[in-house]
Amino acid sequence: MEDGDNSVSNQPPAAEEDDHYAEPDRQDVGKLLYGCEHYRRRCKLRAPCCNEIFTCRHCHNDAKNALSDPKERHELVRHNVKQVVCAVCDTEQQVAGICSECGVKFGEYYCEICRFYDDDRTKGQFHCDDCGICRVGGRENFFHCRKCGSCYSVELRDNHLCVENSMKNHCPICYEFLFDSVKGTTIMKCGHTMHMECYTEMIHQNQYRCPICSKSVLNMSGTWQRLDLEIEATAMPEEYRYEVPILCNDCNSTGKAFFHILGHKCKHCNSYNTRMIGTGEDPQ
């Protein structure tokens, strides 16, 4: 026994060495284990508007906007949050990045301005001072367009039609507010914006005009050429061969075109995205 004790007296105990390397950093305890369907985070928010606790503002908004009484519906203003509750030790405290009681990080990403926490850093979160909120996708992949009033992909720098504050509107399809939506958005040729998934569904339904301004959202030249051939091959009866006044949705020009059931061609830009603005006169 003594010989055995003496033989290891000058070496650190093996158990202590294992414990030293196995013990995780206190700040990382519970990482990615807490949260909701929207975010992985280790704290909850006390909503100052209703004094209730929710994991994130989206959980709050989903719950409150589903209330039967419209007067009770409301949304959480992220910047107004002042208290958080640690998901690990259940301690309520002022907004901070680390729990004052147990020392865990509330989120690997933390924005003090937005009161935003997220353990999943693969999203590439960053705070845009001009937007005033946090975005995802990596700061290097976006730029802020001051006229449009929002961050866009760097691919659109000097390559999009600006519409003032275009993102500070509702999606024309689902009517969700675009500026702080968690869904991806797209800019159409006309400069108006909408959710990417709404845009995709719109195209799938063979709707090719902007719901706001009615301009074509795709290059329709091939379609117009096919219409030229169809109209040429389908002569209207004599009594319908008269001109009608039209407005072109694509170039905003007015003019006249011979009436045809398949469409009316703009003489200025060759588009068939037109509409009659009067009944016209039958020369007979």
Side-chain angles (χ1 to χ4, degrees):
M1 177 74 69
E2 290 180 357
D3 290 339
D5 289 341
N6 290 335
S7 65
V8 296
S9 61
N10 294 325
Q11 299 180 19
E16 291 184 8
E17 182 177 357
D18 291 341
D19 290 342
H20 173 74
Y21 288 106
E23 182 179 355
D25 189 317
R26 184 60 190 169
Q27 292 187 359
D28 291 335
V29 171
K31 179 179 177 181
L32 295 172
L33 298 181
Y34 298 88
C36 59
E37 62 178 304
H38 306 105
Y39 303 110
R40 296 283 89 192
R41 54 174 57 171
R42 283 164 280 173
C43 70
K44 298 180 180 180
L45 314 176
R46 182 174 289 281
C49 44
C50 54
N51 203 35
E52 297 180 34
I53 295 175
F54 295 88
T55 304
C56 75
R57 70 182 183 91
H58 298 296
C59 292
H60 169 278
N61 295 345
D62 289 346
K64 295 304 177 180
N65 287 327
L67 294 174
S68 56
D69 186 353
K71 294 181 179 180
E72 295 183 0
R73 297 172 189 169
H74 64 276
E75 296 194 348
L76 172 61
V77 179
R78 69 188 85 190
H79 305 93
N80 292 345
V81 174
K82 292 181 172 56
Q83 297 289 118
V84 295
V85 179
C86 178
V88 177
C89 70
D90 205 34
T91 300
E92 184 166 350
Q93 57 206 275
Q94 290 187 333
V95 168
I98 296 175
C99 179
S100 59
E101 182 66 24
C102 68
V104 302
K105 280 184 181 179
F106 290 144
E108 286 298 306
Y109 177 85
Y110 165 54
C111 177
E112 184 178 8
I113 298 174
C114 295
R115 276 58 168 150
F116 178 54
Y117 304 87
D118 200 347
D119 268 339
D120 183 4
R121 288 307 306 268
T122 63
K123 299 175 184 177
Q125 303 93 330
F126 66 97
H127 181 84
C128 174
D129 290 329
D130 291 315
C131 284
I133 60 175
C134 290
R135 300 290 191 188
V136 298
R139 186 184 300 275
E140 69 281 3
N141 298 318
F142 292 86
F143 76 100
H144 185 88
C145 178
R146 294 186 180 276
K147 184 171 183 179
C148 294
S150 185
C151 287
Y152 290 138
S153 168
V154 292
E155 297 175 355
L156 293 173
R157 190 191 298 271
D158 302 322
N159 190 32
H160 72 284
L161 180 63
C162 287
V163 174
E164 190 169 0
N165 291 323
S166 62
M167 281 289 288
K168 294 181 179 178
N169 287 291
H170 296 83
C171 174
I173 300 297
C174 69
Y175 213 63
E176 180 183 347
F177 194 59
L178 291 167
F179 183 70
D180 56 2
S181 173
V182 297
K183 301 176 184 176
T185 57
T186 186
I187 308 175
M188 292 174 282
K189 288 171 58 180
C190 56
H192 291 119
T193 54
M194 64 190 302
H195 285 131
M196 177 62 78
E197 62 181 42
C198 293
Y199 174 83
T200 302
E201 180 60 24
M202 182 181 77
I203 299 301
H204 181 70
Q205 296 295 328
N206 297 320
Q207 300 297 319
Y208 304 121
R209 296 190 298 184
C210 170
I212 299 173
C213 66
S214 295
K215 293 187 184 300
S216 299
V217 299
L218 299 174
N219 183 350
M220 302 292 291
S221 58
T223 301
W224 303 156
Q225 290 173 7
R226 287 192 293 273
L227 269 174
D228 281 339
L229 297 175
E230 290 183 32
I231 289 175
E232 185 179 353
T234 312
M236 293 294 293
E238 186 67 32
E239 61 268 27
Y240 290 105
R241 295 180 186 176
Y242 54 86
E243 288 186 318
V244 292
I246 61 171
L247 168 67
C248 178
N249 294 319
D250 286 337
C251 71
N252 297 323
S253 298
T254 57
K256 288 188 175 182
F258 280 101
F259 175 77
H260 200 286
I261 193 171
L262 294 179
H264 305 109
K265 185 176 183 177
C266 172
K267 296 179 180 178
H268 299 277
C269 68
N270 297 322
S271 170
Y272 279 96
N273 181 14
T274 61
R275 52 185 167 178
M276 287 194 298
I277 53 177
T279 57
E281 295 183 1
D282 188 338
Q284 298 180 350

